[in-house]
Amino acid sequence: SQQGEEDPQALSIQEGENATMNCSYKTSINNLQWYRQNSGRGLVHLILIRSNEREKHSGRLRVTLDTSKKSSSLLITASRAADTASYFCATDGKAGGSEKLVFGKGMKLTVNP
Amino acid sequence: EAGVAQSPRYKIIEKRQSVAFWCNPISGHATLYWYQQILGQGPKLLIQFQNNGVVDDSQLPKDRFSAERLKGVDSTLKIQPAKLEDSAVYLCASSLIGTSGRDRFFGPGTRLTVL
């Protein structure tokens, strides 16, 4: 079953603008991660935020986590055409003794040059 | 460092046929995962191996899907017989033991089309 739900499902912006993607989830988590998937490629890990963290930065990426609302947001600043991809949030929690990484449905970002 | 290798990259078969996918993880990675990604959805874990043992196969349709990792390195995922709803991208990923998420590396996937 898929836990994360990204919002919006698709976003189209101009190069240089900021892109914000939201993710909501349902159960308790150890951490939440964001991945990028370019068309026809595998997933690339972008950033991980632990359940006891509220905000994290990595380059042009900023992730926030609100465990009380069970939601996270990914902000990409000064977007580039190369940021065009699908973005997935994934929650990481212990279930049945194995480490389960549960992905959302993803959000398609298009950055127009 | 070489990434996770998968083959074939594309496969088209008719329903009721059999198909097998191969994955070679990053050297030294003890944990190997197979995911199914249906168009428009996020990846769903099918099976997780730790070395050559199965850790989690709760979402693997065992009546038609099977996977093995005999020597704790390469892995194969088989579907027999295939159904139309098996059309998807099958992603293999690997990680070191005990790591969480950030060190999970994905291969490019095998796109399966079942006609």
Side-chain angles (χ1 to χ4, degrees):
Chain A
S1 61
Q2 298 193 304
Q3 161 142 263
E5 289 284 341
E6 293 85 352
D7 169 55
Q9 291 192 329
L11 180 64
S12 181
I13 60 174
Q14 295 300 121
E15 209 165 24
E17 293 181 337
N18 295 341
T20 299
M21 290 159 267
N22 302 301
C23 169
S24 59
Y25 57 93
K26 297 175 184 175
T27 62
S28 296
I29 59 172
N30 290 334
N31 60 63
L32 185 144
Q33 302 166 42
W34 286 90
Y35 284 79
R36 181 185 72 224
Q37 186 176 39
N38 291 86
S39 180
R41 304 277 187 90
L43 285 93
V44 174
H45 184 270
L46 294 177
I47 194 166
L48 178 152
I49 186 165
R50 300 192 185 284
S51 59
N52 62 352
E53 297 176 313
R54 292 296 167 259
E55 187 171 315
K56 202 159 185 180
H57 297 255
S58 176
R60 295 184 295 114
L61 305 179
R62 173 177 167 254
V63 170
T64 62
L65 179 64
D66 186 336
T67 53
S68 66
K69 295 181 180 178
K70 290 187 168 56
S71 67
S72 173
S73 68
L74 172 67
L75 169 67
I76 304 175
T77 60
S79 65
R80 306 167 182 168
D83 294 328
T84 294
S86 291
Y87 291 81
F88 295 87
C89 68
T91 53
D92 193 346
K94 298 285 185 181
S98 70
E99 183 188 287
K100 276 197 179 298
L101 192 64
V102 181
F103 288 85
K105 292 184 178 181
M107 194 220 73
K108 186 170 177 59
L109 173 66
T110 302
V111 181
N112 301 301
Chain B
E1 174 181 89
V4 177
Q6 291 189 247
S7 68
R9 290 295 311 276
Y10 304 92
K11 189 75 177 178
I12 299 174
I13 62 173
E14 296 192 350
K15 59 183 179 183
R16 291 188 289 273
Q17 286 188 321
S18 301
V19 65
F21 313 127
W22 173 83
C23 172
N24 180 237
I26 292 173
S27 178
H29 281 193
T31 307
L32 185 146
Y33 314 80
W34 282 103
Y35 288 86
Q36 180 193 57
Q37 185 177 18
I38 293 173
L39 185 64
Q41 297 185 22
K44 180 184 82 172
L45 179 69
L46 292 176
I47 189 167
Q48 176 183 340
F49 291 95
Q50 186 91 322
N51 296 307
N52 60 348
V54 175
V55 174
D56 184 354
D57 63 357
S58 58
Q59 297 191 96
L60 186 74
K62 298 180 186 63
D63 58 334
R64 298 183 299 106
F65 286 64
S66 64
E68 59 183 14
R69 194 184 184 200
L70 292 175
K71 296 183 179 179
V73 181
D74 293 4
S75 177
T76 56
L77 176 69
K78 296 179 182 177
I79 307 176
Q80 179 180 10
K83 293 185 175 181
L84 296 177
E85 58 261 36
D86 298 332
S87 293
V89 175
Y90 291 85
L91 295 165
C92 179
S94 70
S95 67
L96 294 169
I97 294 177
T99 59
S100 120
R102 86 179 87 205
D103 294 321
R104 194 168 312 195
F105 294 87
F106 284 81
T110 296
R111 182 177 296 276
L112 173 67
T113 302
V114 182
L115 303 175

